[in-house]
């Protein structure tokens, strides 16, 4: 036994108290190191979360922007198809062309007479055009002068060649021209057709829709979207007739841009209507925070919160025929799962370090759950449950050799439900949605293990069949057409589809865009041939 132990025992026997042990003292240097390591670990974890958050958010936001663009361009395709019908059936006729020829090459009296007779000949056609939300029917000479504006017949003779690219291109290149263009009275999308008679170029004719009509149509097709259109004020000053400039007012939420008053009067869900005035401040804040993007005229979208509800705002750049940014089409809609993008903040309060590890495990669990949810949202069409266009494009990209052609033979089937607008008009959008959902379920079942089914946009669907030769794919497409035709839809509706088929083995499909364009072209061939057909 040591001397120290003996001394302690002896002290007890003599009644002297033994000293209590001293409280444990933390090493200050070690405490600082532990705190520093804890903060560093939390910071690194936060950076990891933030990087993944940014990547997932970009994917989701990209898909949302694609969906917004798809709504716009699908609606424009409907107008273009009807415009083609008006031109071929009512304008590109010999009696009408004879009047145009007289008006272009005749004396002044003959021109005035031709103008009156042309107005009388096509007045019913013009009334029908207006009933389908088109804004104007306008004839021009081959020199680009206005010959007859049906919406303003007293205004003619002014030269449009230098201010209207569509008219210049249609008459100098003698080809059909389509796109957005600023006008002296209306802004909108123009469908300009060259006119010929007996091989002689006469001039051109324009059928167009205003942005107000487009906004109204999109609002009726997609009632959850709140829309507005703004155009650069300098474009309005330089292009619009001075007498018509009162139709525009400075946008209160977007410096340098103007509102078309006609849109507010046509659309029941315009961003800055009285019922939605709170939206102006939301857009104003986003515009202020993104001056660099708006200065470049870039398309972008942002997620924000309004009255506790997550709101997605899309800014789609509108370019004219010279590929110059001139306007923005802005769309807003509420989203259910936007809270997943709430920013992750590192809490610097040292008192929370004690709860870190339990919080860490819980955070990982919740994050993985949200990430899975986002993956589904980013790749799935919410109405039909099928994959969306964004996911399908990734599938096609996976089958493409980097810098060259495709890895293996594959078939792309693009189908469009025939006369879908009539279903919506006669039975309501709820029935239209049911038709889309049932069609999606039918295509999913047919695709099975053979390939992938997706909703392309609007009433269009796509099937991708890797490993299929063209003949096999065409036969499969015929099965799809027959299945849709014989399917028992809700309310006993009879539904058919026009189908286009393209193959990676086709010589004119070296890349994804060509493959899609060919299927789209074949689909429209099927429609023009009478619908309910397969074209390959």
């Amino acid at each position: 036994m040591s001397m120290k132990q003996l001394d302690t025992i002896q002290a007890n026997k003599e009644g002297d108290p033994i000293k209590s042990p001293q409280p444990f003292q933390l090493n200050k240097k070690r405490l600082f190191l532990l705190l520093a390591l804890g903060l560093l670990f939390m910071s690194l974890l936060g950076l990891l979360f933030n990087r993944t958050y940014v990547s997932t958010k970009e994917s989701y936001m990209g898909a949302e922007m694609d969906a917004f663009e798809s709504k716009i361009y699908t609606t424009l395709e409907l107008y273009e198809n009807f415009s083609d019908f008006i031109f071929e059936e009512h304008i590109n006729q010999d009696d009408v062309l004879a009047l145009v020829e007289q008006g272009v090459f005749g004396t002044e009296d003959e021109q005035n007479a031709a103008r009156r007779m042309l107005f009388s000949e096509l007045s019913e056609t013009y009334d029908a055009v207006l009933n389908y939300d088109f804004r104007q029917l306008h004839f021009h000479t081959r020199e680009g002068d206005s010959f007859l504006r049906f919406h303003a017949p007293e205004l003619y003779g002014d030269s449009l060649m230098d201010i209207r690219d569509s008219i210049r291109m249609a008459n100098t290149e003698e080809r059909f021209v389509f796109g957005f263009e600023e006008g002296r009275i209306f802004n909108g999308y123009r469908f300009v057709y060259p006119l010929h008679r007996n091989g002689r170029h006469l001039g051109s004719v324009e059928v167009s829709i205003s942005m107000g009509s487009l906004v109204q149509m999109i609002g009726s097709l997609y009632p959850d979207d709140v829309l507005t259109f703004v155009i650069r004020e300098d474009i309005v000053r330089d292009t619009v007739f001075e007498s018509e400039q009162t139709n525009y007012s400075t946008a209160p939420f977007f410096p340098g841009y103007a509102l078309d008053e006609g849109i507010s009067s046509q659309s029941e869900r315009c961003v800055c209507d009285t019922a939605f005035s709170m939206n102006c401040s939301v857009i104003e804040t986003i515009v202020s925070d993104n001056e660099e993007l708006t200065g470049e005229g870039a398309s972008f979208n942002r997620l924000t919160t309004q009255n506790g509800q997550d709101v997605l705002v899309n800014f789609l750049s509108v370019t004219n025929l010279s590929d110059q940014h001139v306007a923005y089409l802005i769309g807003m809609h509420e989203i259910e799962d936007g809270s997943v993008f709430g920013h992750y903040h590192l809490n610097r309060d040292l008192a929370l370090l004690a709860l870190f590890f339990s919080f860490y495990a819980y955070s990982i669990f919740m994050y993985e759950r949200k990430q899975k949810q986002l993956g589904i949202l980013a790749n799935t069409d919410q109405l039909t449950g099928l994959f969306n266009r964004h996911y399908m494009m990734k599938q096609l990209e996976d089958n493409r050799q980097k810098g060259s052609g495709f890895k293996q033979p594959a078939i792309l089937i693009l189908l469009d439900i025939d006369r879908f607008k009539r279903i919506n008009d006669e039975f309501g959008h709820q029935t239209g949605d049911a038709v889309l959902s049932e069609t999606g379920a039918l295509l999913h079942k047919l695709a099975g293990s053979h390939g992938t089914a997706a909703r392309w946009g609007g009433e269009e669907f796509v099937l991708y069949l890797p490993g299929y030769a063209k003949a096999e794919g065409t036969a499969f497409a015929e099965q799809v057409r027959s299945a849709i035709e014989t399917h028992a839809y809700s309310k006993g509706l009879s539904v058919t589809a026009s189908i286009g088929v393209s193959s990676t083995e086709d010589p004119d499909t070296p890349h994804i865009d060509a493959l899609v364009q060919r299927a789209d072209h074949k689909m429209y061939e099927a429609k023009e041939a009478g619908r309910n057909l397969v074209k390959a």
Side-chain angles (χ1 to χ4, degrees), residues 458-514:
E459 64 270 25
E460 291 185 355
F461 296 83
V462 66
L463 287 164
Y464 176 60
L465 306 174
Y468 269 58
K470 187 169 185 178
E472 296 173 307
T474 303
F476 191 93
E478 182 59 33
Q479 293 178 22
V480 171
R481 185 205 62 75
S482 176
I484 292 174
E485 184 183 28
T486 58
H487 180 70
Y489 279 87
S490 300
K491 296 187 177 182
L493 289 176
S494 177
V495 178
T496 62
S498 298
I499 301 177
V501 180
S502 63
S503 169
T504 58
E505 296 177 303
D506 292 330
D508 57 347
T509 57
H511 49 76
I512 295 171
D513 289 343

Side-chain angles (χ1 to χ4, degrees), residues 13-302:
K13 287 182 178 179
E14 295 175 356
D16 294 336
I18 301 175
K19 292 182 178 180
S20 299
Q22 294 294 318
F24 177 74
Q25 297 293 327
L26 278 174
N27 185 295
K28 291 183 178 180
K29 290 184 178 180
R30 183 170 63 184
L31 176 61
F32 177 78
L33 180 62
L34 289 173
L35 292 176
L37 288 174
L39 289 172
L40 177 62
F41 183 71
M42 291 179 70
S43 298
L44 292 174
L45 185 63
L47 289 173
L48 177 62
F49 281 2
N50 187 65
R51 178 176 294 181
T52 307
Y53 149 79
V54 169
S55 175
T56 307
K57 180 178 179 180
E58 287 178 351
S59 177
Y60 177 83
M61 299 293 274
E64 285 288 339
M65 196 69 197
D66 288 345
F68 184 62
E69 290 186 31
S70 178
K71 293 176 183 178
I72 307 303
Y73 297 131
T74 299
T75 306
L76 285 172
E77 286 178 356
L78 295 175
Y79 279 111
E80 184 178 359
N81 290 338
F82 187 73
S83 173
D84 290 343
F85 171 78
I86 291 294
F87 175 72
E88 294 296 342
E89 297 296 324
H90 297 275
I91 298 174
N92 196 29
Q93 302 294 322
D94 191 67
D95 56 340
V96 173
L97 295 176
L99 289 175
V100 175
E101 187 175 33
Q102 175 183 330
V104 172
F105 298 106
T107 64
E108 183 176 351
D109 289 341
E110 289 174 335
Q111 290 177 9
N112 291 331
R115 191 177 289 110
R116 289 192 299 271
M117 287 187 289
L118 188 60
F119 187 86
S120 175
E121 178 74 19
L122 295 178
S123 59
E124 291 186 3
T125 299
Y126 180 58
D127 290 339
V129 164
L130 294 180
N131 288 335
Y132 284 93
D133 293 329
F134 284 84
R135 198 60 183 266
Q136 64 175 309
L137 181 63
H138 189 182
F139 284 83
H140 331 101
T141 69
R142 62 182 182 176
E143 288 79 21
D145 297 337
S146 172
F147 180 71
L148 175 59
R149 290 180 171 94
F150 273 73
H151 59 282
E154 72 282 359
L155 297 176
Y156 60 86
D158 52 307
S159 177
L160 302 171
M161 189 69 82
D162 294 332
I163 63 170
R164 292 282 304 280
D165 286 339
S166 61
I167 297 174
R168 176 182 55 78
M169 294 163 67
N171 285 285
T172 59
E173 301 173 22
E174 299 186 31
R175 65 177 179 86
F176 169 69
V177 178
F178 160 68
F180 176 84
E181 192 171 42
E182 318 87 313
R184 291 201 164 186
I185 298 179
F186 301 119
N187 296 298
Y189 282 87
R190 319 283 181 174
F191 309 92
V192 184
Y193 303 83
L195 298 174
H196 298 87
R197 185 170 187 250
N198 298 326
R200 192 181 192 186
H201 177 214
L202 307 178
S204 58
V205 64
E206 167 192 336
V207 181
S208 62
I209 57 170
S210 69
M211 289 305 298
S213 296
L214 180 62
V215 167
Q216 185 181 37
M217 177 61 75
I218 295 170
S220 64
L221 293 176
Y222 308 99
D224 291 335
D225 287 276
V226 181
L227 302 169
T228 198
F229 169 78
V230 292
I231 184 169
R232 283 168 39 194
E233 287 186 302
D234 60 323
I235 296 293
V236 174
R237 288 194 301 268
D238 295 343
T239 308
V240 178
F241 281 131
E242 186 174 352
S243 60
E244 301 291 336
Q245 293 194 9
T246 55
N247 293 327
Y248 298 85
S249 62
T250 298
F253 52 85
F254 210 140
Y257 285 78
L259 284 170
D260 185 338
E261 298 295 336
I263 294 180
S264 297
S265 65
Q266 285 183 269
S267 174
E268 298 178 355
R269 291 184 64 81
C270 181
V271 164
C272 277
D273 279 353
T274 303
F276 299 95
S277 59
M278 68 183 70
N279 297 328
C280 291
S281 61
V282 172
I283 298 178
E284 184 177 14
T285 300
I286 295 175
V287 169
S288 177
D289 292 341
N290 294 275
E291 291 182 353
E292 183 176 352
L293 290 174
T294 57
E296 296 173 352
S299 296
F300 66 98
N301 56 6
R302 291 293 181 266

